[in-house]
């Protein structure tokens, strides 16, 4: 069991560092994850992390199998804390697949469950996913308020949720045709990473949006450079 948890955690770390091939060789098969993990133990968090890793590695069928299995077990034993994390991750998957109503519903339920449990970390994670969906849907007021709340220094948000909030603000402005404002938020986000140490493109998909914002603003040279760098890393 400890080996299973170790493999899930290491595999997720490899995905985040862009080593997808090595990660997929280590991550356990979805059936092994959902069958062996105790949903009421710390193993549940490792399993959710493995599901997220599969999403970020663009292994969507594997991610769906893991998260669907975990959700069924969490609902069966009434494990709201675990369910909040599972539903937030499932919402991220639905977002990647452009299933906006499902993504919004899942993230909203996850946020409500996390708040009921007093799990602030899960609430911030669910809120950051919901903000991304709101940006894609053009729900300007809700998205902006949610993102600025996550970016407030007293919110306790970590790098993952702050990154998601900045990317959501950029996407919101891009969708509204406010190219200079979008560039601002993406540049703030870009400043959080050293250029050659950013996570893989599948983890942070905002760089292509930055190129689109540069193009919309008529800054073609900068758009071209972002795309060249992204293509090389991809």
């Amino acid at each position: 069991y400890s080996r299973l948890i170790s493999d899930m955690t290491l595999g997720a770390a490899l995905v985040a560092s862009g080593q997808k091939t090595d990660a997929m060789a280590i991550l356990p098969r979805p059936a092994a994850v959902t069958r062996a993990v105790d949903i009421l133990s710390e193993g549940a968090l490792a399993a959710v992390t493995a599901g997220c890793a599969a999403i970020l590695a663009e292994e969507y069928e594997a991610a769906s199998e893991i998260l669907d299995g975990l959700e069924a077990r969490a609902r069966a034993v009434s494990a709201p804390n675990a369910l909040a994390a599972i539903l937030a991750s499932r919402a991220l998957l639905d977002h990647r697949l452009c299933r906006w109503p499902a993504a919004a519903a899942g993230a909203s339920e996850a946020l409500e469950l996390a708040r009921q449990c007093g799990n602030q970390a899960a609430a911030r994670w669910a809120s950051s996913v919901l903000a991304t969906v709101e940006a894609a849907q053009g729900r300007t007021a809700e998205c902006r308020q949610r993102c600025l709340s996550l970016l407030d220094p007293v919110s306790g948000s970590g790098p993952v949720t702050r990154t998601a909030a900045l990317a959501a603000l950029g996407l919101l402005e891009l969708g509204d045709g406010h190219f200079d404002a979008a560039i601002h938020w993406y540049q703030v986000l870009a400043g959080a990473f050293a250029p050659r140490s950013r996570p893989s493109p599948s983890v942070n998909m905002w760089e292509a949006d930055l190129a689109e914002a540069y193009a919309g603003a008529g800054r073609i040279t900068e758009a071209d450079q972002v795309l060249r760098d992204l293509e090389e890393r991809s």
Side-chain angles (χ1 to χ4, degrees):
Y1 188 68
S2 60
R3 174 63 183 272
L4 179 74
I5 294 177
S6 176
D7 285 349
M8 289 190 292
T9 305
L10 178 58
L14 290 170
V15 168
S17 64
Q19 301 176 64
K20 174 180 173 179
T21 301
D22 292 339
M24 299 315 295
I26 291 174
L27 283 170
R29 294 186 179 278
V33 174
T34 57
R35 181 177 63 251
V37 166
D38 179 358
I39 203 70
L40 297 176
S41 77
E42 71 283 353
L45 178 59
V48 172
T49 302
C52 287
I55 295 171
L56 301 179
E58 301 178 1
E59 297 288 341
Y60 298 134
E61 289 186 12
S64 181
E65 187 175 345
I66 291 171
L67 296 173
D68 286 351
L70 294 175
E71 180 183 349
R73 293 183 61 192
R75 290 191 185 279
V77 299
S78 298
N81 251 319
L83 186 58
I86 294 163
L87 290 175
S89 303
R90 179 75 212 202
L92 177 61
L93 174 61
D94 286 326
H95 164 255
R96 283 292 184 94
L97 298 175
C98 300
R99 299 192 293 228
W100 310 118
S108 296
E109 184 180 358
L111 180 57
E112 181 62 25
L113 285 169
R115 285 173 171 169
Q116 290 174 5
C117 295
N119 189 334
Q120 295 303 313
R124 287 190 290 269
W125 164 235
S127 190
S128 70
V129 176
L130 186 56
T132 305
V133 175
E134 289 169 341
Q137 292 178 317
R139 295 162 58 185
T140 301
E142 300 99 313
C143 178
R144 194 181 305 281
Q145 181 178 359
R146 192 178 307 281
C147 290
L148 294 179
S149 176
L150 288 169
L151 293 170
D152 190 320
V154 302
S155 70
S157 294
V160 172
T161 50
R162 291 179 64 83
T163 293
L166 289 166
L169 285 170
L171 181 61
L172 181 69
E173 299 292 2
L174 180 61
D176 285 340
H178 303 151
F179 301 118
D180 289 333
I183 290 168
H184 164 75
W185 290 117
Y186 289 130
Q187 286 181 334
V188 171
L189 179 51
F193 299 98
R196 292 299 175 185
S197 64
R198 294 175 188 164
S200 69
S202 64
V203 174
N204 283 331
M205 302 178 73
W206 55 268
E207 289 169 284
D209 293 329
L210 172 58
E212 184 178 346
Y214 275 139
R219 297 166 63 174
I220 304 304
T221 300
E222 290 151 293
D224 182 66
Q225 187 59 57
V226 170
L227 287 173
R228 287 178 183 275
D229 290 346
L230 182 59
E231 181 179 6
E232 178 184 343
R233 291 174 49 239
S234 298

